[in-house]
Amino acid sequence: KVGAKHSVKTDSLTQIPHSDAVDKRHMAEEEFSQWFARGKLFVSLSRAEGWGLFQHRALATGVPLVTPCFGGLTDFVTPENSYIIPHTEVFAEGYFALGLGKWSDVDLGVAEEVLRFALSDPGLEKKQKAAAASVAHFTKERMRRELLAALGLF
């Protein structure tokens, strides 16, 4: 069963010092950039991502990820810019899944271990430097050209 292997206490991740969360209100682009830049790491335990906008934004501001590398994240998440959480692929379930595709299933205990390692890693600064450089080629203009080319309009 999906999620059956999750064994970490739900409050243990809240004991990580200096954690922050986004509130539900809309943030302007500059405000988002400032929020991301305040962090050392961006943790995402998302089960699936078509692209991974928040993960991409974190890397663009020089903030490495702690995440499984699955779905759209495989386009830009690497061991050089992120701390990759091992995962298993499970069949997607629920209303939105419609029985199609797979999700990433993460053991929260393992995710906690990866996060704790990342917070104490002497190589964190190197990953921070690699983060922004690793996604710099994903410019709006390049994406526009590639989309138009894929549609046969460029």
Side-chain angles (χ1 to χ4, degrees):
K1 180 176 175 177
V2 175
K5 66 183 177 184
H6 296 175
S7 60
V8 71
K9 294 178 185 175
T10 55
D11 64 341
S12 67
L13 290 177
T14 62
Q15 302 303 313
I16 303 283
H18 311 293
S19 62
D20 196 4
V22 176
D23 59 26
K24 302 280 188 215
R25 68 185 175 85
H26 173 76
M27 282 190 195
E29 188 70 32
E30 184 177 321
E31 202 175 358
F32 255 126
S33 295
Q34 291 170 356
W35 181 80
F36 279 114
R38 284 196 324 247
K40 284 171 108 174
L41 298 163
F42 182 78
V43 179
S44 173
L45 301 178
S46 179
R47 301 188 80 189
E49 289 291 344
W51 169 249
L53 180 60
F54 288 102
Q55 294 89 337
H56 188 267
R57 283 181 165 186
L59 289 174
T61 56
V63 178
L65 306 176
V66 177
T67 187
C69 186
F70 186 75
L73 299 181
T74 61
D75 286 337
F76 54 87
V77 171
T78 68
E80 289 75 34
N81 65 22
S82 301
Y83 296 90
I84 299 174
I85 302 169
H87 70 278
T88 55
E89 294 181 16
V90 297
F91 287 103
E93 296 179 345
Y95 179 76
F96 293 104
L98 303 173
L100 304 171
K102 292 186 176 183
W103 280 339
S104 167
D105 191 30
V106 172
D107 181 311
L108 294 179
V110 173
E112 181 179 13
E113 289 173 21
V114 172
L115 175 57
R116 290 189 186 280
F117 170 79
L119 287 169
S120 63
D121 182 17
L124 176 59
E125 189 176 326
K126 185 177 179 182
K127 284 191 191 279
Q128 289 169 326
K129 289 177 181 174
S134 68
V135 296
H137 65 283
F138 286 103
T139 65
K140 289 180 183 178
E141 179 57 28
R142 177 178 167 226
M143 296 298 110
R144 183 188 72 78
R145 280 194 320 270
E146 289 188 14
L147 176 61
L148 290 173
L151 294 173
L153 302 173
F154 186 73

